[in-house]
Amino acid sequence: GLDKGYYVKPTVFANVNNEMTIAKEEIFGPVLSILGYDTVEQAIEIGNDTEYGLAAYVQSGDLEKARKVAAKLRAGQVSINGGGGDMTAPFGGYKMSGNGREWGDYAFHEFLETKAMLGYAPKPAAE
């Protein structure tokens, strides 16, 4: 088995701001950083103020507002109100979280070579 030193216990960090390392780095583990905000616009700015953009989460009692916020977040995947995974939806990040997509139809593009052929095209024959 793995040495227990490799595991991170579930941890919540309160009073975090975007200047802190814990807010800037992409952490994989049961870790939650809490950053306060006064307006929805400020929350979107905080969410986008990162070099990364793998996933984001929006929670709201107003689904239409949650969708508007989700559309403004620079992340490859946004889960609204705890929406679960979907292997047919494209998965991948923005910015330093990577390019390309896995899962669903978009994943096939990683295995294709696309060619553009440019040049003279004859006029179609008169009908």
Side-chain angles (χ1 to χ4, degrees):
L2 291 173
D3 179 349
K4 288 189 178 203
Y6 291 115
Y7 295 104
V8 175
K9 293 181 181 180
T11 306
V12 176
F13 292 91
N15 301 318
V16 175
N17 65 55
N18 270 8
E19 300 303 314
M20 296 177 175
T21 302
I22 191 75
K24 290 181 179 183
E25 293 187 356
E26 195 168 46
I27 298 172
F28 293 92
V31 175
L32 174 68
S33 297
I34 300 174
L35 290 82
Y37 62 92
D38 294 317
T39 66
V40 172
E41 292 75 24
Q42 185 185 18
I44 293 166
E45 287 177 24
I46 291 169
N48 288 333
D49 184 21
T50 176
E51 294 178 4
Y52 302 101
L54 182 59
Y57 303 86
V58 176
Q59 193 75 31
S60 174
D62 185 329
L63 186 57
E64 201 54 41
K65 282 184 181 178
R67 287 179 175 153
K68 288 179 181 178
V69 170
K72 294 177 182 179
L73 292 172
R74 299 286 303 147
Q77 191 171 73
V78 182
S79 177
I80 299 172
N81 290 344
D86 182 346
M87 294 301 288
T88 63
F91 178 77
Y94 283 17
K95 304 182 250 182
M96 295 293 290
S97 290
N99 291 333
R101 294 294 178 261
E102 300 173 9
W103 309 344
D105 291 344
Y106 286 90
F108 289 107
H109 295 282
E110 297 294 318
F111 300 98
L112 301 176
E113 291 182 328
T114 303
K115 180 188 295 187
M117 295 180 16
L118 309 171
Y120 174 77
K123 292 182 181 180
E127 294 183 27

